Amino acid sequence: MHSKKIQSLKEEYSALIEFCRQNNQLSFEMYIDSTYNKTLLLSAASFLEATITKSIHDYVHTKSRQTTELVAFVDNKAIKRQYHTFFNWEGNNANQFFGLFGDDFKQRARKEIETRGLAEAEAAFMAVGRERNRLVHQNYIEVQINSTFEEIWNKYEQACKFTELVAGLLR
């Protein structure tokens, strides 16, 4: 589950950086780097949020046998504008989120993460969410991103593996 638009963002970034380097435009390169780091981080976090919330919506839709009233209720009271309360963003795991589905689900998720070697994907997912919160709540224009574009990209790719796990657990 990757976003084609985020892939395009990466390609655009690479082309702009290459252009700057070929034309000795260090100031412009630094500006592009700073701007695109924030754009990638927000884009990745937004995509991951949409993926997780869609998985929950689809799960409820399937389990409720497409009961539109129940699906609408869950969408409106449990999903919309609640995503960031699902996770303890200061931690490195999604135990709080898994626990929302009950202890059995949480134990199954932990076992899947261990069995499939997805601890790094889980930590990357949490890091993207944590950095997104820092970016939007600590004065976006002035806050500095300490990760390079490539580091953010790698976290995004790892985090996508985590969202695939969640989608699979909710089938």
Side-chain angles (χ1 to χ4, degrees), residues 76-93:
N76 291 323
K77 292 309 268 178
I79 297 176
K80 286 184 182 172
R81 292 186 280 287
Q82 295 299 313
Y83 173 78
H84 290 287
T85 67
F86 297 168
F87 299 90
N88 172 12
W89 295 111
E90 296 308 313
N92 285 322
N93 64 54

Side-chain angles (χ1 to χ4, degrees), residues 19 23-24 30-32 37 46 53 56-58 62 69 96 103 114 130 153 165:
F19 174 83
N23 292 283
N24 296 317
M30 289 172 57
Y31 171 77
I32 289 169
N37 283 0
S46 181
T53 56
I56 296 168
H57 168 90
D58 292 350
T62 300
E69 297 86 0
Q96 179 174 310
D103 197 49
E114 183 180 323
R130 184 171 42 256
W153 177 260
L165 168 75

Side-chain angles (χ1 to χ4, degrees), residues 41-52:
L41 180 62
L42 286 181
S43 297
S46 181
F47 175 76
L48 297 170
E49 176 179 350
T51 303
I52 293 286

